[in-house]
Amino acid sequence: MTALGRSLFGRRARLRWIHLILGGALAMPYVLVGSVVVGPLAEGANVFGSLSLQLASFALGLPLAAVTSLFPLTRPLESGVVRSLCGVEAERLAYGPARTKGEKGRTAAWFTLHLGAGGIVAGMSLAVPPFAVTLIVLPFVPVLRAGWPGLPGLFGHAWALVLSPLAGAAMLLALAGCAAAAGALLARWAPALLGPSAEDRVAAAEARAADLAVRNRLARELHDSVGHALSAVTLQASAARRLLDADPEFVREALAAIEDTTRRTVGELDAVLGVLRDGDATGDAWGAAPAPTLADDLDDLLRRTRAGGLRVDAAVAAAVADRRALPAPVSREAYRIVQEGLSNALRHAGEKVTVALRVEVLDGHLRITVENPFGVAVPAPRPGGGHGLRGIADRARLLGGAAEAGAAGPLWRLHVRLPLKGTA
């Protein structure tokens, strides 16, 4: 009984009833236009004094409603009202103007259905309650029994007076049931008639995919820049602590490197988080995030890494420093790849080892190789981690290149090839 009462008189049922009443209110101008046509055909009869003529006016007005539904604002307004009053999920509705013939046809069908069902339920809502209340109070108000010329003597019987309140209550329940059923049907049909077309769904899916791709790119930037910074700062602080008394000059250099690393990383972090916080993770917003490149920032990266005590033997081709030789996307992604390769060495190679970095241009490709002896740990994928190598592979694949990582004899080797031509 509780579920039945909620379905007939609950908040959702009441809101859907209001939605139908609004449809009836919207139908009134069309009914008036229909009455202008029906009146002369009925030879001057009072249209609003005859139920059949009112229904005829209503039937003539609905096609006119279908025509006016072709205005651009009809679908956005109807979708907004359906979302608010009918309880239909927002993503199942379209909020732009109907453009194609199919969308316009579905919008016209919905508008006609809304006004048609709304006009019927609104008319019942106006007529049924007064009649039903009269039947309910009839046994207790004798003066009302004289106003029923169509039923002479009926209410003189005791059984009629006993059944009269029950009939009135049944009418009210029937009205509530009709309104709830009509509201439920409209809510069920709304996604099919007001929902996005196949083209809209494809466009929305493409937009979500583009947004996800940019957010993944931002996540990779955060992982690479912050991960490298934390690894470098940890190693620098550890080396400074050990040599605090023995080599004050080295400690000053390490502290300066820590300051420079953290300041630069905080700037990158603020820029990327600002993009995410504003909810504008698009290609246009990407320009707000920092984009260090191999041509401009490799020397600073090596200096900060060496300041932590890690020996880096770098062999960098002269062409790498030439901005004209490296396309901007290659230079930017190559910087992050080198940064992540050095971060792996910082985390896993152990102390007092030499990391060999080789960056060269060969056969139309930028080739990056990072080698270091095995330390206490190997940078293999692990539960909750291992995102760095996967990020390197993603960067290389997006540029049409390839990345390989694994053991090569006594060394751990990372080798990446990035094409210089045809890079988007």
Side-chain angles (χ1 to χ4, degrees), residues 133-148 155 161:
V133 170
T134 300
L135 289 178
I136 292 173
V137 302
L138 194 63
F140 313 103
V141 185
V143 70
L144 295 177
R145 304 171 196 171
W148 301 84
F155 293 107
L161 295 178

Side-chain angles (χ1 to χ4, degrees), residues 290-380:
T293 63
L294 197 67
D296 297 331
D297 301 284
L298 178 59
D299 291 339
D300 287 340
L301 176 62
L302 294 176
R303 178 181 56 80
R304 293 194 302 270
T305 303
R306 288 165 175 156
L310 183 68
R311 293 190 290 269
V312 181
D313 182 8
V316 181
V320 172
D322 187 355
R323 297 180 182 178
R324 295 171 298 179
L326 291 184
V330 173
S331 186
R332 182 177 62 245
E333 300 302 328
Y335 175 88
R336 291 304 189 192
I337 290 171
V338 172
Q339 185 182 54
E340 180 58 27
L342 295 177
S343 296
N344 276 336
L346 284 169
R347 287 192 294 265
H348 302 289
E351 299 180 358
K352 299 179 180 180
V353 300
T354 299
V355 177
L357 169 66
R358 187 167 65 254
V359 184
E360 58 186 345
V361 176
L362 185 64
D363 298 331
H365 287 74
L366 178 68
R367 297 176 180 266
I368 301 170
T369 305
V370 182
E371 294 179 336
N372 58 267
F374 284 113
V376 295
V378 176

Side-chain angles (χ1 to χ4, degrees), residues 190-413:
L193 298 177
L194 292 177
S197 63
E199 293 80 3
D200 293 333
R201 286 192 290 270
V202 170
E206 291 176 346
R208 286 193 298 269
D211 178 77
L212 181 60
V214 176
R215 289 181 181 273
N216 285 339
R217 183 179 180 183
L218 292 174
R220 286 197 303 268
E221 293 293 323
L222 284 178
H223 174 273
D224 292 348
S225 61
V226 176
H228 173 81
L230 291 177
S231 298
V233 167
T234 300
L235 192 59
Q236 290 160 353
S238 176
R241 177 180 56 79
R242 292 195 306 271
L243 300 176
L244 181 60
D245 298 323
D247 193 349
E249 182 62 28
F250 175 83
V251 173
R252 280 193 291 269
E253 292 179 2
L255 292 177
I258 290 174
E259 180 183 5
D260 181 60
T261 300
T262 53
R263 181 185 297 112
R264 183 186 184 93
T265 305
V266 168
E268 294 181 6
L269 183 62
D270 286 343
V272 174
L273 291 181
V275 174
L276 294 175
R277 190 180 302 114
D278 294 339
D280 188 20
T282 63
D284 293 338
W286 175 248
T293 63
L294 197 67
D296 297 331
D297 301 284
L298 178 59
D299 291 339
D300 287 340
L301 176 62
L302 294 176
R303 178 181 56 80
R304 293 194 302 270
T305 303
R306 288 165 175 156
L310 183 68
R311 293 190 290 269
V312 181
D313 182 8
V316 181
V320 172
D322 187 355
R323 297 180 182 178
R324 295 171 298 179
L326 291 184
V330 173
S331 186
R332 182 177 62 245
E333 300 302 328
Y335 175 88
R336 291 304 189 192
I337 290 171
V338 172
Q339 185 182 54
E340 180 58 27
L342 295 177
S343 296
N344 276 336
L346 284 169
R347 287 192 294 265
H348 302 289
E351 299 180 358
K352 299 179 180 180
V353 300
T354 299
V355 177
L357 169 66
R358 187 167 65 254
V359 184
E360 58 186 345
V361 176
L362 185 64
D363 298 331
H365 287 74
L366 178 68
R367 297 176 180 266
I368 301 170
T369 305
V370 182
E371 294 179 336
N372 58 267
F374 284 113
V376 295
V378 176
R382 59 197 183 279
H387 299 294
L389 294 178
R390 185 171 60 191
I392 290 175
D394 289 343
R395 292 179 186 276
R397 184 172 59 254
L398 289 174
L399 293 176
E404 301 172 357
L411 301 176
W412 176 269
R413 176 180 296 164

